Amino acid sequence: AVNNGSMRTTGVDGSLQARILNGSVKWDMGIRFGIYRNKITALPSQRMLSSYGGATYLTELGREANLFYGYKTQGVFASDAEAAASGLTNVKSDGTLAPFRGGDVRFVDENNDHLIDSRDQVVIGNPNPKLSGGISTGLSWRNWSAEALFTFSEGNDIYNYDRAQLESMKGFENQSVAVVNRWKAEGQQTSIPRAAWGDPSGNARFSDRWIEKGSYLRLRTASLSYNLPVKASALKYIKIYATGNNLVTWSRYLGYDPEFAASNSLFAQGIDFGMEPEFSSVQLGIRLGF
């Protein structure tokens, strides 16, 4: 084996801490962030395609590593007539040709040859976040104090493998409630294609149907505490506190959790295999100091 590829990664890490209020009420805030970009600078050939979990990745000279590579879509054909009017023909995996029908996904013909095949695949997503970091804040007044930590990621895409399985409608597997809205009759307007055994039109192929925005903002931790005044010489303090972890996540991602790691491998980034979500917890306690 010969290691004859290379990649350059550049980035910026930053942090800022500030006390906003410093009177009877004290308020501290901090932010940390990271911005990273990678670029392929050498490959044995101009480009390399790899597969993982049904996803295809493109690694190409001069671009970021492991970009999602598949088909773009433009909705679902509402009728057989609409499918025929498009002039598009599906090229099956065995090389045979078949016309699209009503209820099939309208794939984008990138090279305008009226054939939907591997030559129409393009970059449809990027699993690499553009920005990530955290925001912390703390507030204190007399014997009360409150703290919170938010974490975030912005600009990354996720391949929702679970949806690709649960909305494919090509076998006996259980499907999600989303397929209730599948195409069933001529003229129906819907974003879910028809159910067809074996998926002869390739409606479930790797496409931007399964790519979702992975940006999120999460309340990682939050705590509230109160220091009880004590007079006993043997006791220095009594603190009553409540702490919550992973309380709220704001995200448009349809899966369980936008923050996951399917594997440490570079070839598995951004693929959600139904990872176990971060669990939420709340702790109540009393801390004594002697």
Side-chain angles (χ1 to χ4, degrees):
V2 178
N3 187 1
N4 53 0
S6 62
M7 179 178 72
R8 181 174 67 246
T9 301
T10 57
V12 175
D13 282 321
S15 63
L16 178 65
Q17 298 284 337
R19 171 155 288 185
I20 299 173
L21 298 176
N22 196 29
S24 59
V25 176
K26 292 180 174 58
W27 182 17
D28 296 315
M29 285 201 70
I31 183 171
R32 59 175 179 80
F33 65 89
I35 302 172
Y36 301 98
R37 299 289 184 272
N38 64 66
K39 183 178 181 180
I40 301 299
T41 56
L43 278 177
S45 57
Q46 182 71 20
R47 53 167 25 194
M48 179 179 71
L49 295 177
S50 54
S51 298
Y52 190 92
T56 301
Y57 284 105
L58 169 69
T59 299
E60 188 172 33
L61 197 64
R63 306 181 77 162
E64 290 188 75
N66 279 19
L67 302 174
F68 290 129
Y69 191 71
Y71 296 86
K72 284 187 177 181
T73 62
Q74 291 180 325
V76 171
F77 291 117
S79 64
D80 290 342
E82 185 180 28
S86 72
L88 298 178
T89 300
N90 182 36
V91 181
K92 296 184 177 181
S93 57
D94 60 2
T96 60
L97 305 181
F100 285 101
R101 293 176 42 191
D104 285 334
V105 173
R106 182 197 294 266
F107 295 100
V108 176
D109 182 18
E110 293 288 343
N111 60 356
N112 295 313
D113 63 355
H114 302 293
L115 299 175
I116 300 299
D117 56 18
S118 60
R119 290 174 292 184
D120 295 307
Q121 291 176 292
V122 294
V123 173
I124 57 175
N126 188 342
N128 304 294
K130 296 179 180 178
L131 176 68
S132 60
I135 301 171
S136 60
T137 183
L139 194 67
S140 62
W141 174 71
R142 295 184 178 178
N143 292 326
W144 291 92
S145 63
E147 296 179 346
L149 172 63
F150 296 85
T151 56
F152 63 86
S153 178
E154 194 278 326
N156 58 299
D157 296 311
I158 295 176
Y159 166 42
N160 194 331
Y161 173 86
D162 283 350
R163 278 190 55 234
Q165 303 305 308
L166 297 175
E167 297 178 20
S168 67
M169 299 176 289
K170 61 182 179 181
F172 287 124
E173 301 85 0
N174 288 335
Q175 301 289 278
S176 75
V177 295
V179 304
V180 172
N181 297 318
R182 68 188 181 277
W183 187 92
K184 302 171 187 173
E186 287 283 304
Q188 181 182 349
Q189 301 290 331
T190 179
S191 61
I192 307 295
R194 63 190 175 98
W197 174 260
D199 192 25
S201 297
N203 291 324
R205 73 185 77 182
F206 184 59
S207 70
D208 57 10
R209 285 183 64 202
W210 316 122
I211 302 299
E212 300 180 30
K213 297 299 182 183
S215 302
Y216 70 87
L217 174 66
R218 165 167 283 165
L219 178 53
R220 175 74 61 186
T221 60
S223 63
L224 178 66
S225 63
Y226 179 73
N227 287 316
L228 282 172
V230 294
K231 297 181 180 180
S233 59
L235 196 59
K236 293 182 179 179
Y237 65 84
I238 301 176
K239 177 182 284 188
I240 303 173
Y241 66 90
T243 301
N245 298 293
N246 301 315
L247 297 176
V248 185
T249 301
W250 295 273
S251 175
R252 294 184 179 179
Y253 181 57
L254 297 177
Y256 286 118
D257 194 340
E259 184 183 23
F260 60 86
S263 167
N264 291 328
S265 169
L266 182 66
F267 297 100
Q269 300 307 302
I271 298 182
D272 183 3
F273 283 112
M275 298 291 100
E276 188 171 315
E278 296 277 356
F279 62 89
S280 301
S281 64
V282 176
Q283 297 173 320
L284 302 176
I286 300 176
R287 185 172 298 164
L288 304 178
F290 295 96

